[in-house]
Amino acid sequence: MGPWRNSSSGKILWLCIMPLMIVLGFMVLKKSNWDIGYSINYSWGSPINDSAAQEPVSSVDRRWRTVDSGGQVAEVPSTPPPVVLEEDMDMQQPHISYVSHGFLGVELGSLRYGIFITPVKDRNFTTTMNGSDLFLLKNGNHDQPTITKVPRNFSGLDKLESSLVQARAAIREGQSGDQINDPDYMPYGPIYWNSTLFHRSYLEMEKRFKVYVYEEGEPPLFHDGPCKSIYAMEGNFIYYMETAKFRTRDPERAHIFFLPMSSTMMVRFIVNRRSRDHWGPLKRTLKDYIDLVASKYHYWNRSLGGDHFIVACHDWGPELSKAVPNLFTNSIRALCNANTSEGFKPYKDVSIPEILLHDGTMRGATGGPSPRQRGVLAFFAGGVHGPIRPILLEHWENKDPDVQVHKYLPKGVSYIDMLRQSKYCISPSGYEVASPRMVEALYTGCVPVLIKDHYVAPFSDILNWKSFAVIIQVEDIPNLKKILMGISTSQYLRMQRRGKQVKRHFEVNFPPKRYDVFHMILHSVWLRRLNARIHDSN
C-alpha cells in the first residue's frame, strides 16, 4: 500500500478518489433520518429498519402484498374491503405512523409468522386465515434498528411515546433474556404464537399502560351496559374499566382514551320499533357524544380518534360506529362481531369473545368429563339463520348418530349436557359471525369447530387457534365427519388439553383476575396502541 501511494500515478488516482469519497459521505449523512423522536423497531427473529414509519403520514395505504421467491412485488387478494363511507372521501387523516416490531409469532421452516402493523410501502405481507391479523413474512436480510435524535424539550405526548419505545425495547429483550418468574401464570406451549414475548408484553402492559375514561355521558347509554345475557362482555368491560388499576384521572398521562358507550343500551332505550328510521336516533346520539368530548378536550382532535377505543358486543355496534367517520376509520373498535367483510380491520380493531352469562356469572357453565366419557363425535343445536347454518342442517340434521345436529333439541335433552358429552362442538356463523358457542365449548372441555367466513377469532394476535380448535371451510361441510374422524386420537387429546389451558383467557371473574378475558381484551388494545405512534399536530 505504501509504495503505491508514493508513486506518481498512485497520487493522481488517490487525489481523484478522495473528493468522490467525501461527496458520497456527505450524501449519506444528508439522507439519514434525523427526525425528532426516538425509535427502535422490531421484528420477531431479527430487527427491522422502520425509518419510513417515523414520518407523520397524511394517509396510510394498508393493503398487503407479498414478495415471491424472485424478489418481485406482487399484489395478492386481500381481505374483503371495508365498507366505504361517503363522508370518508374528504376526511382528514390522523397524524399516526405504525411501528413494525412484529414481536409475536412463530417460525415454521423457512417462514415466519407474526404480527406486523405497518403501511404497505414499508413492508410486504399477505393476510392469512381469512383476514386474521397474522401476517406471513418471507425471510430476508433486515437492516439494523434506527436511532434518532431526542429533543431536549419533551411534550407530554413525547413522553408518552418515549415510554412506549421503552416498552417495545423491553419486550424485544424478553425474546433472548431470562424468563421472568410469574407466580400467577407462566404462558407456555403451542396455544401461543410466542409465549415468552406475550408474557413480557403482558408484564409491560401491567407496568405502564394508562387509560383515561371520559366522565361525560349519563347512564344507561354511557358508563353502563348489560352484565347478563349474550352481550354481557360489553357491560362487564365498561364497569371494570372504570374501577381498574389501569385507569388514570389525569388525561396527560393516558396512552389511550376509552369512550364508555354501550351499543346494547342505545338499541334498548333509543330505538323505536314502530319507526322506519332505526339508525338515525342511534347515530345522532353517538355523534353528539363525540362532538361533546371533542369540544371539551383536545385529545380527540389531536389524533382524530386514533388513540381512542370503544367496546361493543351488540350486532349493531360496528354499524353504529359509522356515525362518526373518524371513529370507524381511525379508532380502535373492540367488537364481538369481528367481520372483515363489514369493515373490521385486524391491524387496529380488536376481536373480543361473545360470552353468554345467564345469571351474570359462569356458574354451572364450566367443567366436563374426560375425553373417554364423551360418546358423541360432534354436536350443534341452534336457530337456522344466516347462510351457513342451513347448509349444515341440510347435510347433517338427523343424518348420522355420531354427528348430532339439531334445529331444536328434543324435550328433556340439556344443551349443556350435550356439550359435555361431545368431543367436538360446532360453532357456525348465523346472521353475524360472532357466537358464544366457541367459548361454551372451551368452558366444557369440548374442542371447538369453527365454520365461519371473514371472521377474526378473539385474541388471534396472541392465540394460535389452530392448535386447540378445528377450522373448517363452508364448502367442506359435507365432509365434516370425514374430517373429524381423520384427526388422530393423540391429536384430539392434545387439542382438548390445550383448550383446557386456554380457557383461563376467556373466563369472566368478579373482580377480574390476571390473564382473564378482561385483561386479554385490554392487552389486545395495548398491542394496537403499542404499534401506533401519535404525532402532535402542533
Side-chain angles (χ1 to χ4, degrees):
M1 185 71 179
W4 177 83
R5 291 183 61 181
N6 292 330
S7 66
S8 58
S9 59
K11 290 180 179 179
I12 295 174
L13 181 60
W14 184 253
L15 291 174
C16 294
I17 292 175
M18 282 298 294
L20 181 60
M21 293 176 64
I22 293 172
V23 171
L24 289 174
F26 177 78
M27 292 176 65
V28 169
L29 288 174
K30 186 175 181 180
K31 190 176 181 181
S32 297
N33 185 356
W34 294 102
D35 295 333
I36 291 177
Y38 177 85
S39 167
I40 301 181
N41 306 298
Y42 311 100
S43 73
W44 184 83
S46 57
I48 289 181
N49 186 334
D50 193 34
S51 58
Q54 298 172 22
E55 295 287 347
V57 290
S58 58
S59 63
V60 178
D61 180 3
R62 297 188 177 98
R63 293 169 299 170
W64 302 100
R65 298 186 295 172
T66 184
V67 180
D68 62 27
S69 58
Q72 300 292 325
V73 178
E75 292 284 345
V76 298
S78 62
T79 57
V83 177
V84 178
L85 304 177
E86 293 181 1
E87 299 94 325
D88 290 346
M89 301 305 292
D90 299 318
M91 188 181 67
Q92 184 182 0
Q93 294 296 316
H95 296 285
I96 302 176
S97 62
Y98 288 86
V99 182
S100 174
H101 56 75
F103 59 85
L104 298 172
V106 63
E107 187 167 12
L108 299 175
S110 62
L111 301 178
R112 290 175 181 169
Y113 290 79
I115 302 170
F116 295 88
I117 302 175
T118 180
V120 67
K121 64 182 180 181
D122 298 327
R123 299 290 174 265
N124 300 304
F125 304 104
T126 177
T127 56
T128 62
M129 290 180 63
N130 234 359
S132 78
D133 46 336
L134 303 171
F135 300 99
L136 180 149
L137 169 65
K138 293 294 182 70
N139 281 339
N141 295 323
H142 303 301
D143 299 329
Q144 295 299 314
T146 299
I147 302 178
T148 58
K149 288 184 176 180
V150 181
R152 293 183 178 180
N153 298 321
F154 273 99
S155 68
L157 183 58
D158 290 331
K159 294 177 181 178
L160 290 172
E161 294 300 328
S162 178
S163 71
L164 296 179
V165 168
Q166 295 172 16
R168 290 192 290 271
I171 291 168
R172 186 175 184 274
E173 288 174 3
Q175 181 177 336
S176 55
D178 295 334
Q179 182 80 350
I180 298 176
N181 185 42
D182 194 327
D184 288 338
Y185 180 67
M186 291 294 293
Y188 68 95
I191 68 170
Y192 303 103
W193 292 111
N194 190 309
S195 59
T196 301
L197 296 184
F198 161 57
H199 186 218
R200 189 60 64 94
S201 172
Y202 187 92
L203 295 180
E204 286 298 313
M205 176 191 74
E206 290 186 319
K207 176 182 176 181
R208 304 175 187 272
F209 201 31
K210 296 299 179 184
V211 181
Y212 184 80
V213 181
Y214 286 112
E215 297 182 355
E216 287 67 30
E218 297 294 332
L221 305 186
F222 305 94
H223 307 279
D224 196 2
C227 293
K228 299 180 181 180
S229 78
I230 200 170
Y231 304 126
M233 282 315 306
E234 189 175 291
N236 277 295
F237 186 90
I238 291 173
Y239 176 77
Y240 284 114
M241 188 67 258
E242 297 200 341
T243 58
K245 66 177 184 178
F246 299 95
R247 182 179 183 180
T248 177
R249 301 283 179 173
D250 181 2
E252 290 296 322
R253 298 182 59 212
H255 298 98
I256 202 162
F257 299 82
F258 180 48
L259 298 160
M261 48 136 312
S262 171
S263 59
T264 303
M265 302 304 264
M266 289 185 182
V267 172
R268 181 181 302 176
F269 288 97
I270 296 178
V271 171
N272 182 352
R273 301 292 179 179
R274 292 174 293 183
S275 173
R276 293 183 178 181
D277 184 14
H278 290 164
W279 293 114
L282 291 171
K283 291 188 175 182
R284 284 192 295 271
T285 300
L286 182 54
K287 185 178 185 303
D288 289 345
Y289 175 66
I290 299 294
D291 288 344
L292 173 63
V293 167
S295 65
K296 188 172 180 179
Y297 305 90
H298 74 281
Y299 306 104
W300 175 271
N301 293 324
R302 178 180 69 182
S303 66
L304 297 179
D307 54 357
H308 289 61
F309 78 102
I310 63 171
V311 172
C313 218
H314 195 279
D315 296 345
W316 290 9
E319 179 68 24
L320 187 57
S321 68
K322 298 177 186 178
V324 181
N326 282 327
L327 176 65
F328 178 82
T329 305
N330 303 329
S331 300
I332 299 170
R333 301 177 305 152
L335 305 174
C336 286
N337 194 38
N339 190 335
T340 58
S341 70
E342 296 178 359
F344 183 90
K345 306 178 182 72
Y347 51 83
K348 77 167 188 69
D349 295 329
V350 172
S351 175
I352 65 176
E354 191 171 78
I355 302 177
L356 175 59
L357 299 178
H358 292 285
D359 63 353
T361 72
M362 298 187 300
R363 189 181 301 114
T366 61
S370 68
R372 293 180 180 179
Q373 296 175 294
R374 296 174 181 267
V376 178
L377 177 65
F379 167 70
F380 167 80
V384 183
H385 52 80
I388 295 178
R389 294 186 185 183
I391 301 175
L392 179 65
L393 268 76
E394 176 188 351
H395 285 89
W396 293 106
E397 185 180 23
N398 300 321
K399 299 290 179 64
D400 191 314
D402 291 331
V403 182
Q404 295 280 331
V405 173
H406 305 275
K407 187 185 305 181
Y408 304 105
L409 278 175
K411 289 184 178 181
V413 177
S414 166
Y415 178 79
I416 192 75
D417 285 346
M418 286 299 300
L419 294 175
R420 291 178 173 139
Q421 294 175 29
S422 304
K423 294 181 178 180
Y424 298 95
C425 294
I426 305 170
S427 177
S429 292
Y431 285 131
E432 306 294 348
V433 293
S435 170
R437 287 174 173 80
M438 296 161 24
V439 176
E440 290 170 343
L442 293 174
Y443 279 2
T444 55
C446 188
V447 176
V449 178
L450 277 57
I451 309 178
K452 300 173 183 288
D453 278 336
H454 315 300
Y455 181 56
V456 180
F459 315 135
S460 55
D461 43 10
I462 301 298
L463 302 177
N464 177 11
W465 276 81
K466 286 187 174 181
S467 70
F468 57 88
V470 179
I471 301 174
I472 292 180
Q473 302 300 316
V474 176
E475 56 267 25
D476 290 328
I477 288 177
N479 301 318
L480 176 62
K481 182 176 180 178
K482 181 179 179 181
I483 293 172
L484 297 180
M485 292 293 290
I487 299 174
S488 67
T489 300
S490 59
Q491 178 61 16
Y492 159 70
L493 292 174
R494 281 193 292 268
M495 287 192 292
Q496 201 265 355
R497 183 174 62 251
R498 292 165 185 168
K500 294 172 65 175
Q501 179 189 351
V502 82
K503 177 172 70 75
R504 69 176 301 122
H505 298 313
F506 295 88
E507 291 177 346
V508 183
N509 296 304
F510 307 96
K513 298 179 181 179
R514 299 178 70 218
Y515 298 102
D516 69 1
V517 68
F518 170 80
H519 288 91
M520 289 297 288
I521 293 172
L522 198 62
H523 180 263
S524 290
V525 174
W526 155 255
L527 282 184
R528 272 72 181 169
R529 180 61 182 92
L530 197 63
N531 275 279
R533 182 179 291 110
I534 309 298
H535 302 271
D536 199 328
S537 58
N538 296 327

